[in-house]
Amino acid sequence: MYAPALFLALAASGAAAFPALHIRQDPCAGIGAGTFSSANNFTLAALNSTSTDNKAVGTQLVVGQNGSSDQRSFGVLSTYASYPYNQWPSFSLKGGALVPVSADAAPGTDSDVAGGDMPGFVFSNSDLPSPAAIYCGIADTDPDQGSPNPLLAVHGDADSFSLCLSGSGATAQNNIVYKAAAGSQEYDYASCYPVRVQLLGMD
């Protein structure tokens, strides 16, 4: 396998200004205790929702490719097993925006997501849109039975993520989908199963 050209072409050759973030409302509002909208230097994992082990850690998630246009490339959350590249090795939450972080790849930010879609990212050295402040971390506050790993929520919802196959053959990616729906042209709904997205190793 070879590193995807569309991502390598956008490898950062110089600093790019990050767009100003304008938060319209608290992405954690109404969820309850233990929430946060800012955190640094964590990775993501997808844990099967049927797991009853509060200490379990799911499969590693990375930024997978999802096409390109003009000066931008687009990414989704894919399992490392299905997309074994990791140009953005960590993430940050910045006021509710989920931001991929890399020392040597193009700057990126999140984009809005609706039910039935794959949460996505935009990468560019010159043309980044404003971030979407739609994500929230949720820490388990149970001192006895709680999980040590916070969960990721989007639009206040941590319980509607799935892993679904996108593409076919050797290049198929297993991608995160929010509120997976039948009839999608982007992924195979029959392959979907529910997961929770964990935040691991936060500073």
Side-chain angles (χ1 to χ4, degrees):
M1 300 180 73
Y2 54 90
L6 69 93
F7 276 172
L8 291 179
L10 287 174
S13 58
F18 198 87
L21 176 62
H22 302 288
I23 301 175
R24 296 182 179 178
Q25 63 181 24
D26 182 0
C28 300
I31 299 178
T35 61
F36 54 93
S37 59
S38 294
N40 295 313
N41 195 33
F42 56 84
T43 60
L44 297 174
L47 180 66
N48 194 312
S49 294
T50 61
S51 175
T52 58
D53 181 359
N54 289 337
K55 311 300 182 185
V57 173
T59 187
Q60 181 183 5
L61 295 174
V62 296
V63 176
Q65 64 178 342
N66 196 35
S68 63
S69 174
D70 297 328
Q71 298 300 311
R72 295 177 174 180
S73 68
F74 305 96
V76 291
L77 289 173
S78 306
T79 63
Y80 181 78
S82 69
Y83 188 82
Y85 308 99
N86 196 6
Q87 288 181 274
W88 291 268
S90 66
F91 295 84
S92 291
L93 271 175
K94 296 181 179 293
L98 182 62
V99 180
V101 178
S102 174
D104 53 11
T109 190
D110 62 355
S111 52
D112 204 359
V113 59
D117 292 342
M118 297 182 287
F121 305 93
V122 181
F123 301 93
S124 176
N125 283 314
S126 60
D127 187 27
L128 274 181
S130 295
I134 56 175
Y135 290 95
C136 182
I138 307 175
D140 195 328
T141 58
D142 186 333
D144 299 317
Q145 302 298 321
S147 169
N149 301 310
L151 298 179
L152 185 70
V154 63
H155 299 307
D157 182 2
D159 298 318
S160 296
F161 291 118
S162 298
L163 273 174
C164 306
L165 283 175
S166 179
S168 60
T171 60
Q173 292 172 207
N174 208 11
N175 296 338
I176 291 290
V177 178
Y178 174 59
K179 293 186 175 179
S184 173
Q185 300 300 307
E186 295 187 315
Y187 52 87
D188 177 10
Y189 179 70
S191 72
C192 298
Y193 63 92
V195 297
R196 291 177 176 167
V197 178
Q198 299 171 302
L199 282 66
L200 308 178
M202 291 186 305
D203 283 349

